[in-house]
Amino acid sequence: MTTKFNWPIIGHKPIVNYLQAMIGNNTLGHAYLFYGPNGLGKNTLAQYFIKSIYCRSDNSPCDHCAHCRQISKQIHPDIIYLDCQPGKKNVTIEQVREARAKIYRGTFLNSHKIIFIRDAQTLSLAAANGLLKILEEPTAKTIFIFLTPTLKSIPKTILSRVQVIKFLPVAVKKFESYLIKKGLDKNQAYELAHLSQGYPGRVLPFLGHSKLLTEYKYSQQNLLSQMSADLNSRFALVEKLAGQVKSEQSQQNAYQFLAQISSLVRDGLLIKNFCFDKVTHVNLKSELANFSSRYSSSHLAQLLNKIKITGRYLEQNVNLRLALENLVLEF
């Protein structure tokens, strides 16, 4: 009997069809790498993929059998999770050695052995090199699944030994239709779909949490007001972001700030050029129109470039406060 698959995935139809065909035809490869920015559903799709490899139900995954329940709880004996240990920034060579030993011991349930690396960009160089031998000469029924937002930090020696699968943003209209089917009214679905900009994971936390969504919208409106205020107010915002001492939290706050103002400036540029259907913050159209009226289109484009350059400065450990102050001077 042909297996029917139950993968309620938003978008990514070609990827879904390909992976389901691999399972249905019993032609699974030994290594897959899913890449694309966070929020696209890589981990969600990987979970359905893994469950369907093990699940024997006619409607797979069933989420009721022992395999499905164990995978949901991350206690399946034949799945090895290679994640960063608490307090560590990288997956270590010691973890890889432990994983290799488990692989060579064979499976507990006479099925596949899966090594699931959900943040492949955190593999240390030694850990990545330690995986090469197994990737080059995999044992029978061993499958590697790597997830990463970008290929930049993945060694070429790994990339050449895996099937690389790129995840793209979901069409906003498609996501809007999905949200309506989930019971949202058309206005809510329209607003959230545009807010996602094709990255469903960015807005799924707002579903059923109207207070959280209201707080987010207020924070964006407040940020837009601050960036439109006088220089002293903008410098006060930088002081709040940078803090008194350099810290990892300050760095994360700065990256989040850059992402938020980039989105708002982009919206302002789109509104100025009458591209209303591309706007992310549809609830702020009037405020964005007022903001963008202060600048020419070329200046807004320059601001977007300045934000991008500031992000690069932060990656190079340039003084956080100085980098942000130079940026807000441009507004």
Side-chain angles (χ1 to χ4, degrees):
M1 183 181 292
T2 303
T3 300
K4 292 182 180 179
F5 292 98
N6 176 32
W7 297 12
I9 298 294
I10 307 167
H12 311 306
K13 195 65 177 175
I15 298 173
V16 169
N17 289 342
Y18 173 70
L19 295 176
Q20 289 178 349
M22 295 294 102
I23 297 171
N25 297 329
N26 196 27
T27 54
L28 287 165
H30 77 280
Y32 301 87
L33 186 146
F34 298 172
Y35 85 97
N38 293 332
L40 287 175
K42 300 186 301 296
N43 185 60
T44 301
L45 198 153
Q47 293 288 345
Y48 286 118
F49 180 42
I50 292 170
K51 284 183 178 180
S52 289
I53 289 173
Y54 291 103
C55 183
R56 295 294 174 262
S57 170
D58 293 337
N59 191 29
S60 177
C62 66
D63 280 333
H64 301 300
C65 68
H67 286 298
C68 286
R69 293 199 309 271
Q70 288 174 335
I71 292 168
S72 294
K73 295 177 182 178
Q74 296 188 30
I75 58 171
H76 195 285
D78 285 329
I79 300 176
I80 301 167
Y81 296 90
L82 272 181
D83 296 323
C84 283
Q85 295 174 333
K88 302 286 186 180
K89 291 185 177 181
N90 296 103
V91 175
T92 65
I93 183 61
E94 289 76 16
Q95 289 175 266
V96 170
R97 286 171 181 153
E98 289 177 15
R100 275 198 317 223
K102 291 177 181 177
I103 291 168
Y104 290 133
R105 281 200 293 267
T107 67
F108 286 90
L109 303 173
N110 194 30
S111 184
H112 290 84
K113 180 82 77 172
I114 292 178
I115 299 86
F116 192 17
I117 307 170
R118 291 176 283 197
D119 291 293
Q121 73 279 4
T122 65
L123 285 167
S124 67
L125 183 58
N129 288 335
L131 289 173
L132 286 180
K133 183 172 177 58
I134 324 173
L135 283 169
E136 289 171 345
E137 302 173 7
T139 57
K141 291 191 172 183
T142 297
I143 300 173
F144 286 83
I145 299 174
F146 299 82
L147 308 184
T148 183
T150 175
L151 299 181
K152 285 194 299 184
S153 57
I154 309 299
K156 291 181 180 179
T157 47
I158 296 284
L159 292 176
S160 64
R161 291 166 173 81
V162 300
Q163 294 186 45
V164 178
I165 298 176
K166 183 178 182 179
F167 280 64
L168 298 171
V170 177
V172 170
K173 284 289 184 184
K174 184 175 290 187
F175 187 35
E176 184 180 346
S177 298
Y178 169 85
L179 292 172
I180 291 172
K181 288 178 182 177
K182 282 289 184 180
L184 272 69
D185 65 46
K186 289 185 178 180
N187 289 335
Q188 287 177 312
Y190 177 81
E191 183 177 343
L192 283 177
H194 278 264
L195 193 58
S196 78
Q197 282 301 295
Y199 298 80
R202 293 179 179 177
V203 299
L204 289 179
F206 295 139
L207 295 182
H209 297 88
S210 57
K211 183 180 178 182
L212 190 63
L213 178 59
T214 300
E215 289 173 353
Y216 172 79
K217 291 193 290 187
Y218 174 77
S219 71
Q220 298 309 291
Q221 186 175 12
N222 188 47
L223 178 58
L224 188 60
S225 297
Q226 288 176 300
M227 296 311 294
S228 303
D230 59 49
L231 187 57
N232 285 334
S233 298
R234 282 177 269 151
F235 270 31
L237 175 60
V238 169
E239 179 65 26
K240 182 179 178 182
L241 285 167
Q244 296 301 315
V245 294
K246 184 177 179 181
S247 68
E248 190 171 329
Q249 186 58 52
S250 294
Q251 195 89 350
Q252 290 302 316
N253 290 343
Y255 280 122
Q256 185 178 17
F257 167 71
L258 293 179
Q260 290 173 341
I261 61 170
S262 177
S263 180
L264 291 169
V265 171
R266 172 187 174 275
D267 278 353
L269 181 59
L270 290 169
I271 285 177
K272 196 169 188 70
N273 289 277
F274 308 104
C275 301
F276 302 112
D277 60 325
K278 302 291 185 183
V279 171
T280 300
H281 301 87
V282 293
N283 61 300
L284 293 177
K285 281 185 178 179
S286 60
E287 292 91 337
L288 287 163
N290 289 333
F291 168 76
S292 63
S293 67
R294 301 169 53 203
Y295 308 101
S296 65
S297 291
S298 61
H299 187 76
L300 289 169
Q302 288 170 10
L303 282 175
L304 287 173
N305 190 49
K306 290 278 187 182
I307 294 167
K308 190 174 182 179
I309 291 171
T310 303
R312 290 177 187 159
Y313 286 156
L314 297 188
E315 290 174 358
Q316 297 165 7
N317 292 318
V318 169
N319 182 279
L320 182 61
R321 182 182 285 101
L322 184 60
L324 294 179
E325 285 179 350
N326 283 337
L327 174 62
V328 300
L329 281 170
E330 302 292 331
F331 282 80

